[in-house]
Amino acid sequence: MNNGAWRYDRLLFCTLLNALIALPFVARAGTTSEFVSYYQNAYAEGRDLIPGPQIPLDTPSIASRLDLQTISPEAALSGTAFLGADGSVIKLAGVQGCLSTEPLEFAGMPTTCAMISLAGMTATLDEAKAGAGDAFPCHVFAQNPGRPTVRFAECFFVENGAVRSLSEALISKGLAFAARDRTGRPVFPEYLEAEEVARGEQIGIWANDQFAHPDGERTPINPSTN
């Protein structure tokens, strides 16, 4: 792994460590902080509390009838979801987080895949917010009724003058994986290509020799995958 990637991983781990130390103390008087803490704690323990879509997602619609909605993110809830300012949960449709709590080494420090995935979503969300003016354009495929409302979407931000998908950014940094459908095919084939590049270059989680893909026997697949 090159020095730039190592420094990024080290910084990410420090963000992770500070966030996880703070998790048990985040819940204060505000219901939002309690909500965020509840979901983050569960994810750090290997449990994704955000349900999958109740209806099949019309993923081709992103190419045929793009309908962008402006969503302001508040905080990461899991490795692939965040809380919106309107109180809804936004679940990224094209990416799959890691839920394994087996010990592994990351940037020279002991941690777990679930913790890396959660910290990666937090760090990438902050970076993307800076490039999006604290509000993302998102294409919403569907939503589950009830409270909280869960919307399944792909969100975008500008990086170095180019439009980038938040899902693709997570995958390219080796912090998450391309989501598969129930038949095992990638929801978006281009994200699988990004995953294979990150894997080949040993970026992020892939830098650990003991790590196995969620489709393997060592790391569980996120049950809320599309």
Side-chain angles (χ1 to χ4, degrees):
M1 180 166 50
N2 61 51
N3 290 335
W6 186 89
R7 284 194 295 270
Y8 177 83
D9 288 348
R10 192 77 178 185
L11 177 60
L12 176 62
F13 185 85
C14 291
T15 302
L16 160 78
L17 186 61
N18 291 333
L20 291 176
I21 289 174
L23 281 180
F25 308 101
V26 166
R28 296 184 290 273
T31 56
T32 298
S33 59
E34 293 173 358
F35 181 89
V36 170
S37 179
Y38 179 69
Y39 277 81
Q40 287 185 346
N41 272 300
Y43 197 86
E45 295 170 355
R47 297 179 294 117
D48 190 346
L49 303 182
I50 302 170
Q54 295 183 4
I55 61 173
L57 301 183
D58 182 16
T59 52
S61 65
I62 198 168
S64 60
R65 52 182 184 278
L66 187 64
D67 182 17
L68 297 176
Q69 301 178 24
T70 300
I71 297 175
S72 298
E74 287 287 328
L77 299 176
S78 73
T80 58
F82 62 89
L83 177 66
D86 62 354
S88 64
V89 173
I90 310 302
K91 171 76 172 177
L92 300 177
V95 62
Q96 172 183 339
C98 188
L99 283 172
S100 173
T101 57
E102 290 187 20
L104 57 79
E105 185 177 287
F106 183 79
M109 305 289 285
T111 183
T112 69
C113 190
M115 293 165 68
I116 294 169
S117 197
L118 175 59
M121 181 61 172
T122 299
T124 305
L125 194 63
D126 287 342
E127 291 177 5
K129 283 170 63 178
D134 290 334
F136 294 137
C138 298
H139 177 80
V140 179
F141 298 102
Q143 72 177 43
N144 289 350
R147 300 184 64 184
T149 298
V150 180
R151 290 191 277 176
F152 302 89
E154 282 298 279
C155 298
F156 306 92
F157 66 101
V158 175
E159 182 179 71
N160 298 324
V163 176
R164 193 174 188 186
S165 158
L166 182 58
S167 296
E168 185 272 333
L170 289 166
I171 296 166
S172 294
K173 293 177 180 178
L175 302 171
F177 320 102
R180 271 76 164 174
D181 61 22
R182 297 186 184 279
T183 68
R185 294 177 298 183
V187 175
F188 297 111
E190 60 269 30
Y191 292 172
L192 180 58
E193 294 176 8
E195 178 186 297
E196 291 173 345
V197 170
R199 186 173 190 170
E201 295 181 357
Q202 295 184 311
I203 297 172
I205 298 172
W206 300 112
N208 189 286
D209 294 336
Q210 299 177 343
F211 175 72
H213 191 279
D215 287 338
E217 59 183 21
R218 293 193 58 213
T219 309
I221 289 179
N222 186 331
S224 66
T225 297
N226 303 332

